RNA sequence: GGGGGCGUGGCAGAGUGGUCGUAAUGCGUUCGUCUUGAAAACGAAAGGCCCUUAACCGGGCCCGUGGGUUCGAAUCCCACCGCCCCCUCCA
């Protein structure tokens, strides 16, 4: 959510930001109109309530019965009028809130303009791509042959785009989760959270997944709960409706969770393998920081995610996303691992600054000084990292001619010293 | 799942239709007086949201949440949420 004062005072700035994102600038005018109506109604109804409060106090002191009855009759009419205006003000408020929650975040001035993902900018590429003396295979062939990924049985249980990990495959994923959590908690200063995997609607509104981006969510039938699409959702909302002390900030949390996304994609795209699935596991970093530090915090967030890529010894690249690809962030960077079997860069992390967009929606505030007025803090999050694609990158980069897979050094302690999956 | 009890400020805890009430009182917090300093004592201050304002002032709303009754609701009624106790069940 944006600051209504910004919209009132500098509507042209907001319209310009919307245009950069390819969003409709007329939303601003609709919002200003309903805001004005809403405020006029509030003024009117509050003046009447002030009158009613004053007269009610007089009534309680009146001795003369007739005089008293006359006042009560008069106030009955005022009460009816208040009820009517309250209803109108409530409607205006609901419409105002609906428009505010729909309005997207604005891009940071430094974000490159663009209309598609092709306008994203490669910031840097790290690590040399391995030269193979055989033709590298895609992970689905290797994984099936090794008996560590079972696609058919995943479909049998849950339908298309679900898969089963087995044996060393399960253990590899579990090792990755443990290692990544250990790196973030022990080296990067994050504290670990294990949140619920289903959340209420208002929590999804808090992060901005609703009302606008709800089409990929799995809702639980018969309950007002939805499976989380990312740990960002419960963890960012952890302190919603709270006022934190400045001395508590920054707060860094890391959480491992499964994630569910009902991806609506064109048939035939990314159908093979585990690149795009309905359920996957992920380690997510979330930061709660003061506004003046949030861009410096974004830089270290990216560093923290990059450390995982480096530790795995897989080539990766960092992308600065353009205005078309920002989602609800003001600025976003993606990390992509190179996968030689499928011959593509795989997005394994998005690192975003939301500034106060999410904290306004979740009513997540801090007190800059003891006794000072509460202010909205800034939230950031970044994957650290998303598992299936890291699994793809490891399987494909560390494959050998015989179809076996070398276990990256950092993961061996987490796999009982196993060096090769064969 | 069945029965009973309870949701009030940072915490504890009064308040059962208007007055005592600007939500008592206590504890905690902050500031002041006193003190070399501290403690004690005494005095005082302190919430959130919205409207209005350059700011101050002013007004409205908030006693779990949402409705209702009433001229007027923390207080009465209804629904929902949460917590506690007992029974039942269970990983």
């Amino acid at each position: 959510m944006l600051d209504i004062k910004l919209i009132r005072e500098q509507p042209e700035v907001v319209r310009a930001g919307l245009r950069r994102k390819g969003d409709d600038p007329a939303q601003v005018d609709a919002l200003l109109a309903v805001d004005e109506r809403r405020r006029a109604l509030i003024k009117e109804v509050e003046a009447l309530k002030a009158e009613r409060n004053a007269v009610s106090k007089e009534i309680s002191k009146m001795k003369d019965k007739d005089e008293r009855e006359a006042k009560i009759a008069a106030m009955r009419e005022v009460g009816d009028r208040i009820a009517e205006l309250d209803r109108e003000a409530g409607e205006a408020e609901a419409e105002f809130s609906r428009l505010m929650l729909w309005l997207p975040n604005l891009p940071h001035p430094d974000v490159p303009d663009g209309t598609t993902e092709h306008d994203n900018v490669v910031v840097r590429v790290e690590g040399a791509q391995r030269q193979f003396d055989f033709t590298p295979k895609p992970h689905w062939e290797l994984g099936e042959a090794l008996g560590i990924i079972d696609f058919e049985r995943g479909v049998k249980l849950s339908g298309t785009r679900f898969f089963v990990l087995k044996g060393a495959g399960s253990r590899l994923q579990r090792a990755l989760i443990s290692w990544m959590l250990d790196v973030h908690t022990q080296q990067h200063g994050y504290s670990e959270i294990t949140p619920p995997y289903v959340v209420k609607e208002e929590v999804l509104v808090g992060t901005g997944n609703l009302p606008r981006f709800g089409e990929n969510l799995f809702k639980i039938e018969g309950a007002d709960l939805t499976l989380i699409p990312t740990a960002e959702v419960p963890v960012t909302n952890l302190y919603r409706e709270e006022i934190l002390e400045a001395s508590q900030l920054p707060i860094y949390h890391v959480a491992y969770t499964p994630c569910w996304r009902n991806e609506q994609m064109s048939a035939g795209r990314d159908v093979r393998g585990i690149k795009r699935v309905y359920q996957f596991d992920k380690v997510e970093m979330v930061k709660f920081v003061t506004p003046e530090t949030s861009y410096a915090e974004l830089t270290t967030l990216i560093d923290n995610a990059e450390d995982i890529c480096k530790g795995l010894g897989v080539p990766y690249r960092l992308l600065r996303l353009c205005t078309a690809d920002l989602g609800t962030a003001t600025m976003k960077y993606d990390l992509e691992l190179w996968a030689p079997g499928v011959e593509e860069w795989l997005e394994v992390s998005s690192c975003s600054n939301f500034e106060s967009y999410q904290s306004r929606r979740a009513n997540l505030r801090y007190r800059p000084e003891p006794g000072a007025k509460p202010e909205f803090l800034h939230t950031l999050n970044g994957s650290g990292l998303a598992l299936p694609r890291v699994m793809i990158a490891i399987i494909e980069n560390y494959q050998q001619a015989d179809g076996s897979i070398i276990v990256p050094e950092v993961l061996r302690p987490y796999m009982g010293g196993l060096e090769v999956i064969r």
Side-chain angles (χ1 to χ4, degrees):
Chain A
M1 207 153 61
L2 298 180
D3 186 353
I4 183 61
K5 286 192 199 121
L6 174 74
I7 301 168
R8 277 180 207 148
E9 289 161 18
Q10 303 184 60
E12 200 42 52
V13 168
V14 179
R15 287 191 200 98
L18 293 176
R19 275 188 215 101
R20 288 186 69 208
K21 293 192 72 162
D23 224 299
D24 184 8
Q27 291 173 87
V28 171
D29 303 283
L31 199 42
L32 288 174
V34 72
D35 180 44
E36 207 161 305
R37 175 172 149 74
R38 163 184 160 266
R39 286 195 288 169
L41 285 164
I42 287 171
K43 257 192 241 179
E44 196 178 346
V45 75
E46 285 187 356
L48 287 176
K49 282 180 181 174
E51 184 192 344
R52 181 179 64 183
N53 289 347
V55 176
S56 285
K57 200 168 274 182
E58 287 174 30
I59 290 173
S60 69
K61 291 171 187 158
M62 280 178 181
K63 298 278 176 269
D64 186 286
K65 191 160 183 283
D66 289 342
E67 199 180 353
R68 189 181 162 99
E69 288 305 317
K71 282 288 185 192
I72 287 174
M75 282 307 103
R76 190 173 291 133
E77 276 178 36
V78 171
D80 289 345
R81 179 67 181 146
I82 285 172
E84 191 183 327
L85 286 171
D86 258 341
R87 193 182 45 74
E88 282 181 46
E91 282 168 11
E93 188 67 41
E95 176 66 2
F96 174 72
S97 166
R98 196 183 67 77
L99 293 174
M100 283 297 278
L101 290 173
W102 189 264
L103 200 66
N105 207 348
L106 300 179
H108 187 281
D110 293 347
V111 169
D113 284 301
T115 50
T116 72
E117 61 180 10
H118 301 294
D119 298 314
N120 295 336
V121 177
V122 178
V123 178
R124 58 174 176 268
V125 183
E126 298 279 347
Q129 290 182 17
R130 177 181 159 196
Q131 298 305 306
F132 288 86
D133 51 13
F134 58 93
T135 306
K137 292 177 182 163
H139 63 283
W140 56 83
E141 283 182 26
L142 294 159
E144 264 182 337
L146 287 167
I148 59 173
I149 309 176
D150 190 335
F151 295 97
E152 282 184 25
R153 292 199 177 93
V155 171
K156 181 169 71 181
L157 293 174
S158 307
T160 183
R161 294 187 188 279
F162 285 92
F163 65 101
V164 174
L165 289 178
K166 301 194 295 191
S170 299
R171 186 142 197 206
L172 177 63
Q173 175 160 292
R174 189 155 53 85
L176 277 163
I177 293 164
S178 294
W179 171 67
M180 293 190 291
L181 286 171
D182 284 352
V183 170
H184 294 312
T185 55
Q186 291 164 23
Q187 295 172 35
H188 297 151
Y190 291 77
S191 69
E192 189 172 347
I193 299 286
T194 305
Y197 301 156
V198 291
V199 292
K200 301 178 190 175
E201 185 176 312
E202 70 222 51
V203 170
L204 288 152
V205 171
T207 32
N209 299 76
L210 288 177
R212 207 165 178 170
F213 303 100
E215 63 279 355
N216 289 349
L217 299 170
F218 278 108
K219 194 155 188 289
I220 308 265
E221 197 181 326
D224 291 327
L225 293 168
T226 300
L227 289 162
I228 56 171
T230 159
E232 167 198 351
V233 174
V235 178
T236 303
N237 281 278
L238 200 57
Y239 307 108
R240 61 177 292 128
E241 322 280 342
E242 292 186 33
I243 300 171
L244 303 175
E245 293 306 319
S247 57
Q248 294 175 261
L249 302 177
I251 294 172
Y252 301 160
H253 284 315
V254 63
Y256 152 73
T257 71
C259 305
W260 290 269
R261 295 185 187 177
N262 192 1
E263 303 272 357
Q264 313 289 319
M265 56 217 132
S266 48
R269 190 179 163 217
D270 298 326
V271 287
R272 305 205 66 178
I274 56 173
K275 176 184 165 188
R276 197 176 291 270
V277 287
Y278 286 160
Q279 177 188 312
F280 62 96
D281 287 31
K282 181 159 63 64
V283 169
E284 183 79 8
M285 300 174 282
V286 177
K287 288 185 170 189
F288 304 87
V289 308
T290 56
E292 56 276 11
T293 59
S294 67
Y295 284 93
E297 292 282 3
L298 177 60
T299 302
T300 56
L301 181 68
I302 295 164
D303 288 345
N304 297 154
E306 275 192 74
D307 278 351
I308 300 297
C309 301
K310 285 177 185 154
L312 292 172
V314 172
Y316 69 91
R317 64 180 191 178
L318 177 67
L319 265 55
R320 169 168 240 184
L321 301 193
C322 72
T323 49
D325 230 0
L326 283 179
T328 49
T330 58
M331 188 183 281
K332 184 184 289 206
Y333 288 84
D334 275 4
L335 282 168
E336 298 182 338
L337 294 179
W338 173 249
V342 293
E343 294 187 284
E344 58 177 319
W345 293 95
L346 300 174
E347 181 189 330
V348 292
S349 181
S350 280
C351 296
S352 309
N353 187 357
F354 298 91
E355 294 191 11
S356 61
Y357 188 78
Q358 293 182 323
S359 60
R360 285 175 195 282
R361 302 170 78 96
N363 196 19
L364 172 46
R365 293 170 297 165
Y366 79 108
R367 210 179 290 283
E369 301 286 334
K373 202 167 143 53
E375 284 180 21
F376 293 108
L377 45 74
H378 282 193
T379 60
L380 303 90
N381 68 63
S383 337
L385 310 161
L387 267 301
R389 294 178 184 175
V390 173
M391 297 277 283
I392 294 173
I394 288 172
I395 291 168
E396 295 188 1
N397 278 285
Y398 284 91
Q399 65 178 293
Q400 302 187 90
D402 65 357
S404 63
I405 295 156
I406 294 174
V407 176
E409 295 260 8
V410 292
L411 299 179
R412 290 178 195 173
Y414 294 87
M415 298 187 70
L418 185 71
E419 293 177 12
V420 183
I421 298 171
R422 60 174 92 242

